[in-house]
Amino acid sequence: MPQAPLAAPDRTSPAAEPAVVARAVGVTRRYAGHTALDSVDFEIREGELLGLLGPNGAGKSTLVNLLTGLRQVTSGRCELFGGDPRRPENRLRIGVTPQETGLPETLRVTEVVDFVAAHYPDPVDRGELLDRFGLTPLARRQTGGLSGGEKRRLAVALAFVGRPRLVFLDEPTTGLDVEARKALWDRVAEFHAGGGTVLLTSHYLEEVEALAERVVVLGRGRVLADDTVAAIRGLVDVHRVSLVAGELPRLPGVVSERREDGRVHLMTTDPDRLVRELVTRGVDFSGLEVRPTSLEEAFLTIAGS
């Protein structure tokens, strides 16, 4: 028999609910002289599945920690359901899978689920939750004996115990194989289809492309882009062509040009065409290298940084 979706709680009065469930307004967060977030404006709207992208160190986890009340802003403000993220009544309506989760090694999987469920007034049935996330065969195992991927699946499942309205999943597929990753996406899609709101962080565009409707890209603590998946895909399709050469003619498709350590670095949306142009025009060059850019390189180039 097909299972009913793992849905968010029914909201019979949508007009009484805020259109924005979480937001950051001019948020800056500094750690010992390092600026993790720099005047960030950001919001999550009710019912959307939002992908938060960026390289390691971009500020994704910091933003999640601020929105979920685990950290305080240096300046600016964060809101969760229109109030302070640190207030229990607001945090009870969210589920979180942090980037790193510590599980008590001597507790069994069922005991961990029961412990988390005890914090909520109407938790999901334990058996249903374990079945949903493929954890039933592991129910009697101690968490200390689980593999890295099995621990990650349990950590993600725990985000859904309290029937949340908003779920934060910070790099949820770490340590998962292809099959487990696909199963997780299916569960997230079911939750979203039932009215749930999701923020999914990753440094891989491919990991949010299949699910997200909107993508925000962070780089060096700033919002570099906020658009649809299709628009973001077009923006990051940039390659670096590096070579040793003298003065270059004007070349098509070049987004930026930089000289460093005797080499010319060209950012382009069409590396094949660029190389053909170099040959056709008889440009004297050597040491040609072509490689994809990172998200950070692509967006900082487009942003003119």
Side-chain angles (χ1 to χ4, degrees):
M1 177 182 295
Q3 296 174 315
L6 185 61
D10 179 44
R11 295 185 289 277
T12 56
S13 302
E17 301 291 345
V20 174
V21 294
R23 62 156 51 103
V25 181
V27 166
T28 295
R29 171 67 188 189
R30 298 188 183 93
Y31 297 96
H34 168 68
T35 301
L37 292 174
D38 185 8
S39 300
V40 167
D41 292 313
F42 174 85
E43 66 179 29
I44 305 171
R45 293 184 286 270
E46 181 114 33
E48 73 177 342
L49 202 164
L50 170 63
L52 183 62
L53 284 170
N56 290 328
K60 302 186 302 296
S61 294
T62 297
L63 182 56
V64 169
N65 288 339
L66 292 173
L67 291 172
T68 57
L70 298 178
R71 295 286 185 271
Q72 289 184 263
V73 301
T74 302
S75 62
R77 75 176 191 276
C78 284
E79 297 176 3
L80 185 63
F81 300 109
D84 188 337
R86 293 169 297 175
R87 294 185 66 86
E89 60 267 30
N90 294 324
R91 296 177 67 181
L92 272 176
R93 293 184 279 177
I94 66 172
V96 183
T97 298
Q99 196 169 105
E100 295 183 5
T101 305
L103 299 170
E105 294 192 353
T106 58
L107 291 186
R108 301 182 190 277
V109 169
T110 52
E111 293 172 330
V112 172
V113 173
D114 289 345
F115 175 76
V116 174
H119 291 77
Y120 297 95
D122 182 29
V124 174
D125 176 76
R126 181 221 291 163
E128 177 187 350
L129 188 79
L130 294 178
D131 188 47
R132 287 284 177 186
F133 288 90
L135 296 168
T136 301
L138 308 175
R140 301 298 298 165
R141 294 263 300 275
Q142 291 181 317
T143 62
L146 301 179
S147 68
E150 290 167 343
K151 289 179 181 178
R152 197 60 183 160
R153 282 160 50 201
L154 175 57
V156 173
L158 293 175
F160 295 87
V161 169
R163 302 186 189 274
R165 284 179 49 192
L166 168 61
V167 171
F168 295 86
L169 302 176
D170 194 359
E171 304 282 359
T173 62
T174 301
L176 299 186
D177 58 28
V178 174
E179 183 177 352
R181 183 178 293 113
K182 176 60 169 60
L184 184 147
W185 296 147
D186 288 345
R187 302 293 81 75
V188 172
E190 287 176 359
F191 173 75
H192 179 238
T197 305
V198 181
L199 173 67
L200 170 69
T201 83
S202 178
H203 55 278
Y204 296 115
L205 179 58
E206 293 75 14
E207 289 200 342
V208 300
E209 193 171 25
L211 291 174
E213 304 158 323
R214 171 183 159 222
V215 179
V216 173
V217 180
L218 288 181
R220 299 182 183 177
R222 296 182 290 120
V223 174
L224 300 179
D226 184 347
D227 213 323
T228 64
V229 172
I232 297 300
R233 167 58 73 185
L235 286 175
V236 300
D237 190 18
V238 178
H239 286 69
R240 178 191 293 273
V241 177
S242 178
L243 63 154
V244 178
E247 289 299 316
L248 296 175
R250 188 177 182 85
L251 297 164
V254 174
V255 178
S256 71
E257 177 180 331
R258 178 172 57 86
R259 291 181 178 268
E260 183 180 24
D261 298 328
R263 296 184 66 82
V264 186
H265 303 283
L266 305 172
M267 302 289 278
T268 177
T269 55
D270 192 343
D272 294 336
R273 181 185 178 191
L274 176 57
V275 173
R276 288 196 301 268
E277 288 285 340
L278 289 169
V279 174
T280 301
R281 298 191 188 192
V283 175
D284 184 17
F285 67 87
S286 62
L288 180 69
E289 296 178 359
V290 180
R291 66 174 179 83
T293 62
S294 66
L295 277 171
E296 183 176 26
E297 287 176 318
F299 280 97
L300 289 178
T301 297
I302 292 164
S305 300

